[in-house]
C-alpha cells in the first residue's frame, strides 16, 4: 500500500476525483455532502493496475479548513495536486503547495480536472511550473474529467509509476502514529486512525500516548476495512485500544513505541521561508496531525527556538510547518535540529547558539551530538532519533572522546590538588571528585580512575594511599616505640598531642590502619586486638572484666571498650552475669 494526500483549491474536484478513482465516498459528513464541499479529512482506497493499493487522504480546499488539510498531509509521503482546467492556479493552490514545500514533500503527481470544460493546457503549464519550484519538483501531469471518466486510466497508471518511485519505508523502526480521527465503536471501545509512516503494529502491542503516563494496548487493527493481526508501513490503519476512554485521544495526539521518543516543548529549528527576524512572536506549528501554538525566538538568520504550548514527540530531522493563522499565511517550513537544546540564560547565549546551529543540517549525527553534549546517555540519544553504534564509557553513558580524555587528565590534577589541601586524608572522596568534574553520575568517576590511582573506601588516591604523611608516620613510630611492650596501655589525650597526634592526625592514622580506635581519645596499636584474644583465651572461662583487665595489664578506660569491640566482632560473648567467654 502507499498513501497519497490530495491538495488543491476549493471546488477543483479533489473529492470528485477520489470518488471516480475508488468508487468510495470520501466525504464522511452529511454537511459535506449537502454543501458539496469537503470540510474535514476523508479516506478512500483502490487497487491500481499493477495490483498495488493506493489509499487517499482527501483534504479540504477552503482556506478556513487549512488546519484540517495540514493534519492530513503531515504524515503522508506523496501528494496528488489537483488544479481545475477552467479556473487554473488559485490562492489555495498556492497555499497548499507552500504547505507541501514547507513539509518537504518530495513526491507528487498533477491532475488537471474538468478537462471536459476547458483546454487543460494552460492550467497544466502554470501548475507544473509552480510545482517544479517547490520541494515536490518536476511532476507527471494528467488531464482528467471526474464526470466523463476521461483520463482516469492514464491517472491510475501514473499513480502506479509514482508508487514505484517512493522510497521503501522503515518497517523495523519505532512507531509514531499521528492520530487524525478518534471515535467509539459500540462493543469495541475507542478507535483511532492515522497514517502509519514507519514501523509495524500488531494486535497486543503496548504503546505510549504522547503526553500521558499510562500505556495503552492494541485490541484490534483494521486497514482498508479489513481486520488485521499486523500492519506495516506505509498504511492507513484504524487501531482499537483496550480500555482507553475516547476523550483521552484526539487529532494531534500520537501513539508511540515505548521509550523511543523524546517528548519536548522546546526545539531549535532551521527555517525556510520568511526571514527569522520577520516572524511574529507567536505562530502555529503543524507537525504530523498536530497543530500547536508556539512562541518564536529568532537566533540566527534562518534558525529559531520554538517553545511549544504542549510537548510533542519530536526527533532530530523532523519536518514541520509554521503558519500564521491570522494572516492565513505559511511562514515557512522548519527542520528540527535539536529536541533537547541548552538554556539561553547568559548574555550572548543566543548568538553563540546560532553559530552552533549554523553547522547543523538536521541529519542525526552521533559524533556531532557527542561533541556538543560531551556526556549523554545512549537512551536519550535514541529517543532524539540519533542512531547509536558506539560503546558506552560507563553504564549507558556515551562520551565525546576528546572530552573523556580531558576528564582523565583532570582526575589526576584534582586528586593531587585535594591531597595538597587535605594532607591528612587518604585520598579524595568520590563524590567530591564528581562535583569538581561536574559529572552527573558516580559511575563516570569510577570509569575515569585508572592506575596509579585507585578507589578505596569511597576515596580516590594513589595505589599506596594507605601510606601516611611522614609527620603522622613518625608519630605512630613513637607510639610503637613507647608502648610496644605495653600493647594494652593507651596514651592519654595530652600525651598523644605531645607525640604529634592531634585529632586530625589520629583520624588519618586510624583510616590508614596504623592505629586502632576503641573510643574517643582511646587508641591502641592495630595488632593489639589479636594479642588481646590470645591473652583472654588463656584465662579460665568465663572471665570477669576485672580478670581481663589484670591479664591485659591495662586500665578500665581501655578494658571496657576493648571487650565491647570484641563482643561486637563475635570473638567474645557476654553472659547474663556480665562475665564473658572467648568464642572459639
Amino acid at each position: 500500500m502507499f498513501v497519497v494526500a490530495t491538495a488543491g483549491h476549493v471546488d477543483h474536484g479533489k473529492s470528485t476525483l477520489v470518488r471516480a478513482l475508488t468508487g468510495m465516498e470520501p466525504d464522511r459528513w452529511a454537511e459535506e455532502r449537502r454543501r458539496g464541499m469537503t470540510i474535514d479529512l476523508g479516506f478512500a482506497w483502490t487497487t491500481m493496475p499493477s495490483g498495488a493499493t493506493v489509499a487517499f487522504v482527501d483534504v479540504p480546499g477552503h482556506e478556513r479548513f487549512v488546519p484540517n488539510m495540514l493534519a492530513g498531509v503531515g504524515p503522508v509521503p506523496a501528494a496528488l495536486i489537483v488544479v481545475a482546467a477552467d479556473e487554473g492556479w488559485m490562492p489555495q493552490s498556492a497555499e497548499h503547495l507552500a504547505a507541501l514545500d514547507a513539509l518537504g514533500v518530495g513526491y507528487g503527481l498533477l491532475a488537471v480536472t474538468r478537462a471536459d470544460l476547458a483546454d487543460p493546457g494552460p492550467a497544466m503549464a502554470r501548475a507544473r511550473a509552480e510545482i517544479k519550484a517547490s520541494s515536490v519538483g518536476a511532476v507527471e501531469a494528467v488531464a482528467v474529467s471526474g464526470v466523463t471518466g476521461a483520463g482516469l486510466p492514464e491517472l491510475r497508471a501514473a499513480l502506479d509509476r509514482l508508487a514505484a518511485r517512493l522510497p521503501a519505508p522503515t518497517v523495523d523502526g519505532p512507531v509514531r502514529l499521528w492520530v487524525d480521527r478518534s471515535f467509539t465503536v459500540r462493543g469495541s471501545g475507542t478507535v483511532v486512525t492515522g497514517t502509519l509512516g514507519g514501523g509495524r503494529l500488531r494486535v497486543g502491542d503496548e504503546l505510549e500516548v504522547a503526553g500521558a503516563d499510562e500505556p495503552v494496548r492494541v485490541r484490534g487493527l483494521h486497514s482498508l476495512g479489513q481486520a488485521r493481526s499486523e500492519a506495516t508501513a506505509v498504511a492507513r490503519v484504524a487501531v482499537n485500544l483496550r480500555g482507553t476512554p475516547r476523550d483521552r485521544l484526539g487529532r494531534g495526539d500520537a501513539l508511540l513505541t515505548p521509550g523511543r521518543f523524546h517528548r519536548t516543548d522546546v526545539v531549535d529549528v532551521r527555517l525556510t521561508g520568511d526571514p527569522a527576524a520577520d516572524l511574529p512572536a507567536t505562530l502555529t506549528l503543524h507537525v504530523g496531525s498536530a497543530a500547536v501554538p508556539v512562541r518564536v525566538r529568532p537566533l540566527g538568520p534562518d534558525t529559531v527556538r520554538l517553545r511549544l504550548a504542549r510537548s510533542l514527540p519530536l526527533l532530530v530531522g523532523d519536518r514541520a510547518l509554521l503558519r500564521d493563522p491570522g494572516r492565513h499565511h505559511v511562514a515557512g517550513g522548519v527542520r528540527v535540529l535539536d529536541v533537547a537544546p541548552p538554556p539561553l540564560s547568559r548574555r550572548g547565549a543566543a548568538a553563540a547558539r546560532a553559530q552552533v546551529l549554523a553547522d547543523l543540517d538536521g541529519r542525526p549525527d552521533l559524533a556531532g551530538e557527542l561533541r556538543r553534549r560531551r556526556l549523554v546517555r545512549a537512551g536519550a540519544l535514541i529517543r532524539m532519533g540519533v542512531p547509536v553504534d558506539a560503546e558506552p564509557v560507563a553504564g549507558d553513558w556515551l562520551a565525546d572522546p576528546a572530552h573523556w580524555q580531558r576528564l582523565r587528565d583532570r582526575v589526576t590534577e584534582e586528586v593531587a590538588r585535594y591531597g595538597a589541601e587535605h594532607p591528612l586524608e587518604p585520598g579524595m572522596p568520590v563524590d567530591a571528585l564528581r562535583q569538581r568534574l561536574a559529572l552527573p553520575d558516580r559511575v563516570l568517576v569510577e570509569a575515569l580512575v585508572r592506575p596509579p590511582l585507585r578507589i578505596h573506601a569511597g576515596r580516590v588516591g594513589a595505589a599506596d594511599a594507605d601510606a601516611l604523611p611522614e609527620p603522622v608516620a613518625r608519630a605512630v613510630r613513637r607510639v610503637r616505640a613507647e608502648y610496644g611492650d605495653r600493647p594494652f596501655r593507651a596514651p592519654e589525650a595530652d600525651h598523644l598531642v605531645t607525640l604529634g597526634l592531634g585529632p586530625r592526625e589520629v583520624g588519618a592514622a586510624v583510616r590508614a590502619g596504623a592505629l586502632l580506635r576503641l573510643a574517643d581519645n582511646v587508641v591502641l596499636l592495630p595488632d593489639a586486638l589479636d594479642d588481646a584474644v590470645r591473652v583472654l583465651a588463656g584465662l579460665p572461662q568465663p572471665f570477669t572484666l576485672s580478670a581481663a583487665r589484670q591479664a591485659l595489664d591495662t586500665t578500665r578506660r581501655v578494658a571496657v571498650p576493648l571487650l565491647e569491640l570484641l563482643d561486637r566482632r563475635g570473638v567474645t560473648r557476654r553472659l547474663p552475669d556480665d562475665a564473658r567467654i572467648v568464642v572459639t
Side-chain angles (χ1 to χ4, degrees), residues 5-343:
T6 62
H9 193 76
V10 63
D11 202 29
H12 275 203
K14 296 185 294 299
S15 298
T16 299
L17 188 58
V18 170
R19 198 177 297 116
L21 285 168
T22 66
M24 301 176 69
E25 176 56 69
D27 287 336
R28 297 178 291 115
W29 308 111
E31 176 70 7
E32 293 177 307
R33 292 190 288 272
R34 185 184 66 79
R35 296 171 62 179
M37 181 176 71
T38 300
I39 296 172
D40 204 353
L41 302 177
F43 309 98
W45 57 89
T46 190
T47 301
M48 295 289 98
S50 66
T53 300
V54 57
F56 293 96
V57 179
D58 188 33
V59 307
H62 197 282
E63 66 177 1
R64 288 166 49 195
F65 306 118
V66 168
N68 291 348
M69 175 266 180
L70 294 172
V73 170
V76 172
L80 175 61
I81 303 169
V82 178
V83 176
D86 57 338
E87 290 191 355
W89 197 254
M90 296 290 283
Q92 289 312 117
S93 307
E95 185 169 11
H96 282 205
L97 181 62
L100 297 175
D101 183 56
L103 293 169
V105 176
Y107 298 89
L109 181 63
L110 171 63
V112 179
T113 57
R114 301 183 189 168
D116 56 320
L117 299 180
D119 177 7
M124 184 179 293
R126 169 73 186 280
R128 294 184 77 172
E130 297 282 352
I131 297 168
K132 187 176 182 179
S134 74
S135 63
V136 181
V139 294
E140 188 174 355
V142 181
V144 296
S145 169
V147 174
T148 68
L152 289 179
E154 292 80 3
L155 182 57
R156 289 191 177 93
L159 284 165
D160 254 342
R161 290 189 289 271
L162 174 62
R165 292 171 44 225
L166 293 177
T170 303
V171 298
D172 294 324
V175 167
R176 178 175 52 175
L177 180 71
W178 293 101
V179 174
D180 51 41
R181 291 176 65 205
S182 174
F183 51 92
T184 300
V185 174
R186 180 175 295 179
S188 296
T190 299
V191 176
V192 298
T193 69
T195 299
L196 181 63
R200 66 179 73 234
L201 284 171
R202 298 181 180 90
V203 173
D205 280 354
E206 185 175 277
L207 302 171
E208 292 178 346
V209 178
D213 294 330
E214 298 179 7
V216 296
R217 191 169 295 278
V218 177
R219 179 181 182 181
L221 280 172
H222 278 71
S223 184
L224 308 184
Q226 299 293 320
R228 316 272 181 174
S229 61
E230 176 180 295
T232 58
V234 172
R236 285 294 305 173
V237 294
V239 185
N240 180 202
L241 299 173
R242 187 186 304 278
T244 304
R246 179 186 172 184
D247 58 5
R248 185 175 169 189
L249 281 164
R251 179 172 294 173
D253 288 320
L255 296 178
L256 311 170
T257 297
R260 293 299 301 272
F261 291 88
H262 179 77
R263 294 190 286 272
T264 180
D265 60 1
V266 180
V267 292
D268 287 346
V269 302
R270 170 156 286 111
L271 173 71
T272 56
D274 296 352
D278 294 345
L279 295 179
T282 58
L283 290 168
T284 298
L285 179 73
H286 294 266
V287 58
S289 62
V292 177
V294 296
R295 294 193 63 81
V296 180
R297 179 175 182 178
L299 299 175
D302 64 347
T303 52
V304 297
R305 174 160 293 187
L306 303 177
R307 189 168 295 278
L308 286 60
R310 65 180 177 92
S311 62
L312 292 176
L314 300 180
L315 302 173
V316 172
D318 275 346
R319 301 296 296 258
L321 176 150
L322 283 174
R323 184 171 182 268
D324 186 342
R327 294 190 296 149
H328 302 287
H329 170 66
V330 174
V334 299
R335 184 144 194 177
V336 175
L337 303 178
D338 194 340
V339 296

Side-chain angles (χ1 to χ4, degrees), residues 462-554:
D464 60 348
D466 291 342
L468 287 169
E470 180 53 32
V472 180
R474 186 165 54 249
V476 170
R477 287 195 296 270
R478 290 174 182 167
V479 172
R480 187 170 290 279
E482 186 171 339
Y483 291 90
D485 58 347
R486 297 178 296 160
F488 309 112
R489 292 295 182 105
E492 297 290 340
D494 56 349
H495 190 48
L496 284 172
V497 173
T498 301
L499 292 170
L501 291 170
R504 293 177 62 205
E505 289 78 9
V506 169
V510 169
R511 285 193 296 270
L515 292 176
L516 173 67
R517 190 197 302 272
L518 297 181
D520 288 343
N521 296 322
V522 180
V523 295
L524 299 176
L525 293 168
D527 45 6
L529 209 60
D530 291 337
D531 292 343
V533 174
R534 285 193 295 271
V535 171
L536 297 174
L539 292 174
Q541 307 291 310
F543 59 87
T544 64
L545 171 63
S546 177
R549 182 180 61 77
Q550 293 177 18
L552 295 171
D553 186 24
T554 189

